[in-house]
Amino acid sequence: MRARMTAALLCFLLAAPVLLVAGSPVNNSNNGTVPLVIWHGMGDSCCNPLSMGSIKKMIEEDISGIYVLSLMIGKNVVEDTENGFFMDVNEQVSMVCSQLAQDPQLKGGYNAMGFSQGAQFLRAVAQRCPSPPMKTLISVGGQHQGVYGLPRCPGESSHICDMIRKALNNGAYTDMVQKHLVQAQYWHDPLNDDLYKKHSLFLADINQERAVNETYKKNLQLLEKFVMVKFLQDTVVDPVDTEWFGFLKSGQAKETETLQESVLYKEDRLGLAAMEKAGKLDFLASNGDHLQFTREWFKANLLPYLQ
C-alpha cells in the first residue's frame, strides 16, 4: 500500500494547492525577540515558496530580527511531504521535541504556529515537551478533536486522497493503518467511540480519552495563549467544529457540540476550562476555505500574538 501511495505522491506534489497567501506585500518592520516555530500541514513541506516559505518570509519582513524555524520532518522536501502522510505521528513529535531542545536559539522559549494537522502535532509538543517552553500556540485550521471525513483534500487530481479515504473507511483502527497512515492517527469515529479510544495511537492519547495524564494537563496550561482559527467555508476539514476543539456528538454523525459542551471540557480533562477562565483561549474565525487567507488578515489577526 505504501509503495503505491508514494508513487502517487510524486504526482500529488506537482498538483497540490496547499495554502493561499494573497494581497499586498507586508512592510513596516517591528521589533520582536520571541522565536517562532511553524509546522506545515498535510501535503505541504517546510519550504514551499507558495506556502510555508511565503509565511516565513512575511513574518521575517514584519518582525525585525525574529528567528523563524519551519520544521522539516526528514532530510529533504520530498521526504518531509511524504512523512506528512506516512510517518508515525508520535515519532514525528519526538523528533521535533529533540530538535527544539537542541536549538540554542529556542532555550528562552518560543511561540508556535501550526497549519492544519501541524497544529495538533504542535499541541502534542506542548503537552509532552515543556522544555524549551512554548509560550503561545496558534492553531490555523487545526483538527484538535480529529476528523470524521475527508471530503476534499489537496491533490484531488491524483489518486492519493481516494486511497487514504479507502484505507480509513476500511479499517482506520487496524494496527497496519494506524501505524502507517498519519491521518488515521487523528481519525475520530463517533459511531465507534470504543474503537477510537482503544486503538487511536495519537489523538486519543493527547486528548486524554483513555486516562488523564496530569503532566499533559499541567504542561498545556503553561501556555500563555492558545489561539484557534476556524475557516468558515472549510471544505477540507470535516467537521469544521474541530478547528475550535468541538466535534460530533458521540453515537451519531450529524449533530455537533462545542468544546464547552464536551465531556473533555466539563470534566476539564486537559485543563482547557481552566485556561478559558484564565483568559488563555482565543477563538478566531476567517471567511474562506481551508488555509485560505490574505496577508492583510494574517497581519491584523495573527501577527499581534508574535510581537
Side-chain angles (χ1 to χ4, degrees):
M1 180 178 72
R2 174 161 181 166
R4 286 185 293 137
M5 285 187 172
T6 303
L9 180 62
L10 297 178
C11 296
F12 167 86
L13 289 173
L14 299 177
V18 291
L19 182 67
L20 174 66
V21 183
S24 58
V26 175
N27 300 311
N28 302 326
S29 294
N30 299 293
N31 290 325
T33 59
V34 180
L36 176 65
V37 174
I38 58 179
W39 198 333
H40 62 80
M42 177 182 75
D44 203 358
S45 71
C46 64
C47 315
N48 187 328
L50 299 178
S51 56
M52 293 299 98
S54 178
I55 290 289
K56 183 176 185 290
K57 181 179 179 182
M58 178 174 60
I59 294 169
E60 289 170 340
E61 288 175 350
D62 207 61
I63 303 178
S64 179
I66 190 173
Y67 172 67
V68 181
L69 172 63
S70 186
L71 294 168
M72 177 187 286
I73 311 300
K75 298 177 181 178
N76 52 58
V77 169
V78 172
E79 193 171 304
D80 184 24
T81 309
E82 180 179 340
N83 285 337
F85 290 105
F86 306 125
M87 183 178 183
D88 183 275
V89 179
N90 293 306
E91 186 178 346
Q92 293 189 52
V93 171
S94 294
M95 287 176 59
V96 168
C97 286
S98 177
Q99 181 180 353
L100 300 186
Q102 295 173 29
D103 191 330
Q105 303 224 45
L106 304 178
K107 64 182 180 180
Y110 64 96
N111 294 324
M113 183 179 293
F115 295 83
S116 199
Q117 68 181 22
Q120 58 261 35
F121 299 170
L122 278 171
R123 176 164 63 86
V125 172
Q127 292 175 208
R128 294 174 179 175
C129 308
S131 181
M134 186 185 295
K135 297 178 179 295
T136 292
L137 172 59
I138 302 174
S139 167
V140 186
Q143 303 100 43
H144 292 282
Q145 278 283 17
V147 297
Y148 185 56
L150 214 61
R152 185 183 68 79
C153 63
E156 192 74 309
S157 59
S158 75
H159 297 298
I160 194 164
C161 291
D162 288 335
M163 296 171 75
I164 290 174
R165 283 192 195 94
K166 185 176 180 180
L168 292 173
N169 290 331
N170 288 345
Y173 300 121
T174 63
D175 287 344
M176 184 184 75
V177 175
Q178 276 290 308
K179 291 177 181 178
H180 299 290
L181 185 60
V182 165
Q183 290 68 40
Q185 293 186 25
Y186 57 86
W187 183 259
H188 187 170
D189 186 345
L191 302 178
N192 292 284
D193 207 44
D194 290 341
L195 281 177
Y196 157 68
K197 291 179 178 179
K198 183 177 181 180
H199 296 291
S200 172
L201 293 180
F202 174 70
L203 189 69
D205 177 65
I206 65 164
N207 280 3
Q208 311 275 49
E209 298 282 16
R210 291 185 279 264
V212 174
N213 182 325
E214 293 295 340
T215 299
Y216 283 4
K217 185 174 179 179
K218 176 185 175 182
N219 288 344
L220 189 63
Q221 291 180 85
L222 293 175
L223 288 174
E224 297 171 8
K225 277 286 185 182
F226 180 12
V227 184
M228 287 171 268
V229 178
K230 178 167 73 172
F231 292 91
L232 300 179
Q233 281 78 48
D234 203 315
T235 63
V236 175
V237 175
D238 186 17
V240 69
D241 310 72
T242 188
E243 296 177 355
W244 276 0
F245 234 122
F247 202 63
L248 295 160
K249 294 180 179 179
S250 182
Q252 51 83 60
K254 291 184 178 180
E255 294 184 34
T256 60
E257 64 183 10
T258 65
L259 165 64
Q260 291 77 10
E261 294 169 334
S262 69
V263 172
L264 177 71
Y265 186 91
K266 290 177 178 178
E267 296 182 357
D268 208 14
R269 298 173 68 85
L270 200 50
L272 293 169
M275 291 178 71
E276 184 166 42
K277 186 176 181 180
K280 291 186 174 184
L281 299 187
D282 286 358
F283 300 90
L284 306 182
S286 174
N287 287 310
D289 204 346
H290 192 60
L291 302 186
Q292 307 293 293
F293 54 85
T294 64
R295 288 179 177 233
E296 289 77 13
W297 183 91
F298 186 95
K299 182 176 180 180
N301 293 276
L302 300 186
L303 206 64
Y305 290 104
L306 306 179
Q307 295 172 321

